[in-house]
Each structure stands twice: as C-alpha cells, then as structure tokens.
C-alpha cells in the first residue's frame, strides 16, 4: 500500500478523500473527522509499499484530500458521456456495499441510462443482455468472467 495506490483507487470512484490505515488498508469517502484528530504517536505506521510514507495506525486513518483537474462546469456537462474503456481488474473490498450490481437490460442504451449516482462504468453483454453497473471505473475481479461484454467508463 502507498499513498499513490490508495489515491488512485479512490479517484476511480470520484471520492473526495482517501484514507490509509494500519499499514495496508485503504478506504474511500466524501467526509471524515467525525471522531476528531488522532495524536501523531497513534498515527505513525509506515506504508507496506513505501516505508517513507505514513499509512496511519491501528484504527487511525491517514487522510488524503483528492483533487481533480477541470472545472466543475465541465464535469457537470460531461457527467453522462461514456467512452469505451480499457479494463483494469482490481480486487475490491467495499464494506457493506457491493462494488457493482447486475441487471437485465434490453440493450446498451438502457444499460448506460441506468448508470446513475454512484456508477462510474458499465460492462454490457449483448448476448446475455446483462448490464453490470460499476461503482469504480475498474472491473472488480469478481467480474473477470464478464470479459466478453463491452466496457464503458464515464468521462
């Protein structure tokens, strides 16, 4: 685990913050701090992938604010534009929420239309008429068998 790896995974989901904990955990979210700040002595474990970086402590998060290029107006205008994407398979662990959901769709337009809030990408299998709505713009390893479908990411 490194700051760059955790930030990259959280950026795939469009989150505002990335948090590293206990050497190798990575969490993503849009808010933090409800329990207050931890002391430096409780939050001083080196990252497993880069010993020069701080990865929090036991039950203590090292929080990173993520920033994105482009204006918010551009982001709003392009929010529902999808482009073909390159598949990146990742092992995701999202507590209490799946990283994707699957539903039947008549075609690709319906599948893309169903990709709303919290959805960053889709895999659509024309043959099976299955639409996989992905929370991140990366393919969860659990969907590696869906490689025959078309993959689109939100621009």
């Amino acid at each position: 685990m490194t700051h760059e790896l955790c930030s990259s995974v959280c950026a795939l989901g469009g989150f505002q913050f990335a948090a590293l904990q206990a050497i190798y955990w990575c969490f993503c979210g849009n808010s933090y701090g409800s329990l207050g700040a931890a002391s430096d002595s409780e939050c001083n474990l080196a990252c497993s992938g880069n010993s020069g970086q701080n990865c929090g402590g036991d039950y203590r998060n090292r929080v990173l604010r993520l920033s994105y290029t482009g204006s918010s107006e551009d982001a709003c205008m392009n929010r529902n534009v999808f482009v073909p994407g390159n598949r990146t398979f990742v092992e995701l662990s999202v507590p209490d929420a799946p990283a994707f959901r699957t539903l039947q769709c008549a075609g690709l337009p319906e599948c893309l239309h169903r990709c709303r809030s919290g959805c960053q990408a889709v895999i659509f299998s024309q043959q099976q008429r299955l639409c996989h709505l992905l929370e991140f713009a990366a393919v969860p390893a659990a969907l590696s068998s869906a490689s025959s479908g078309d993959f689109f990411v939100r621009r």
Side-chain angles (χ1 to χ4, degrees), residues 93-124:
S93 175
V94 181
D96 302 325
F100 68 93
R101 60 189 181 103
T102 302
L103 33 105
Q104 291 285 145
C105 286
L108 179 60
E110 180 186 357
C111 181
L112 295 175
H113 178 73
R114 299 266 186 121
C115 187
R116 300 282 182 173
S117 177
C119 177
Q120 299 299 318
V122 303
I123 298 175
F124 179 69

Side-chain angles (χ1 to χ4, degrees), residues 44-64:
N44 60 2
L45 298 177
C47 296
S48 59
N50 182 341
S51 61
Q53 294 178 337
N54 179 311
C55 271
D58 292 329
Y59 302 101
R60 301 293 185 257
N61 291 330
R62 166 75 165 116
V63 179
L64 307 172

Side-chain angles (χ1 to χ4, degrees), residues 1-154:
M1 181 56 60
T2 65
H3 288 196
E4 295 79 12
L5 175 60
C6 185
S7 295
S8 295
V9 169
C10 292
L12 290 172
F15 290 97
Q16 293 178 7
F17 301 100
L20 300 106
Q21 186 182 105
I23 302 172
Y24 59 90
W25 290 100
C26 176
F27 301 97
C28 307
N30 290 315
S31 65
Y32 77 96
S34 64
L35 301 176
S39 69
D40 288 342
S41 65
E42 294 178 287
C43 194
N44 60 2
L45 298 177
C47 296
S48 59
N50 182 341
S51 61
Q53 294 178 337
N54 179 311
C55 271
D58 292 329
Y59 302 101
R60 301 293 185 257
N61 291 330
R62 166 75 165 116
V63 179
L64 307 172
R65 178 184 298 274
L66 304 179
S67 61
Y68 301 92
T69 59
S71 71
S72 59
E73 183 177 313
D74 290 342
C76 290
M77 289 174 58
N78 291 327
R79 200 172 131 235
N80 291 315
V81 175
F82 291 86
V83 295
N86 294 323
R87 293 169 199 261
T88 301
F89 292 97
V90 294
E91 195 65 49
L92 295 173
S93 175
V94 181
D96 302 325
F100 68 93
R101 60 189 181 103
T102 302
L103 33 105
Q104 291 285 145
C105 286
L108 179 60
E110 180 186 357
C111 181
L112 295 175
H113 178 73
R114 299 266 186 121
C115 187
R116 300 282 182 173
S117 177
C119 177
Q120 299 299 318
V122 303
I123 298 175
F124 179 69
S125 170
Q126 180 68 38
Q127 184 178 11
Q128 298 172 320
R129 302 221 186 270
L130 288 179
C131 177
H132 304 286
L133 304 175
L134 310 178
E135 185 176 341
F136 297 94
V139 181
L143 285 179
S144 61
S145 63
S147 60
S148 61
D150 296 317
F151 180 60
F152 292 90
V153 295
R154 188 180 300 279

